[in-house]
Amino acid sequence: VQLQASGGGLVQTGGSLRLSCAASGRTFSSYAMGWFRQAPGKEREFVAAFSRSGGSTYYADPVKGRFTISRDNAKSSVYLQMNSLKPEDTAVYYCAADRSIIVTALSTPEQYDYWGQGTLVTVSS
């Protein structure tokens, strides 16, 4: 599967952005989907994910209550709605997909087989 992330940009503190990730392939609904981010000089970190069944969502503590992950299987897309953005949210955001990942591994980037190219989110103070 190929992934194409978009929607990044420059926003002020407290603002909102919606990231999109479009996937190719006809079996999108069977993939677990995740969002990760990587700030300069830091390791890639987990943000949010959908389980393979699509019935469960998971969030990293720093984004709980502010970010919402959603998916549209008909459009083979996953989204990340980001509200109340903070300067520390500044990073390149990546979407990822995997067909066999288990729930306990959703937050581990090494467990995903497919990655999008990343989209830059910059939050100004």
Side-chain angles (χ1 to χ4, degrees):
V1 63
Q2 292 183 324
L3 305 174
Q4 181 74 34
S6 61
L10 174 64
V11 64
Q12 292 185 334
T13 296
S16 298
L17 280 175
R18 188 192 192 213
L19 305 183
S20 299
C21 177
S24 64
R26 294 175 289 179
T27 58
F28 172 79
S29 61
S30 65
Y31 284 80
M33 299 296 299
W35 284 99
F36 291 79
R37 66 187 181 186
Q38 188 166 17
K42 295 187 177 182
E43 294 185 351
R44 192 167 298 188
E45 65 175 5
F46 170 72
V47 175
F50 258 110
S51 62
R52 282 187 294 146
S53 67
S56 299
T57 56
Y58 303 85
Y59 296 92
D61 286 343
V63 308
K64 282 181 180 177
R66 300 189 297 123
F67 291 10
T68 302
I69 188 172
S70 62
R71 66 191 295 166
D72 185 337
N73 289 335
K75 296 182 178 180
S76 296
S77 294
V78 63
Y79 308 98
L80 186 68
Q81 178 66 43
M82 306 186 295
N83 299 328
S84 302
L85 283 162
K86 305 175 181 180
E88 52 264 43
D89 294 319
T90 295
V92 177
Y93 283 71
Y94 299 89
C95 58
D98 196 274
R99 198 169 182 177
S100 60
I101 194 170
I102 59 176
V103 167
T104 54
L106 284 172
S107 62
T108 307
E110 293 79 9
Q111 296 297 318
Y112 288 80
D113 284 340
Y114 304 100
W115 289 86
Q117 86 287 4
T119 184
L120 177 62
V121 172
T122 303
V123 184
S124 63
S125 58

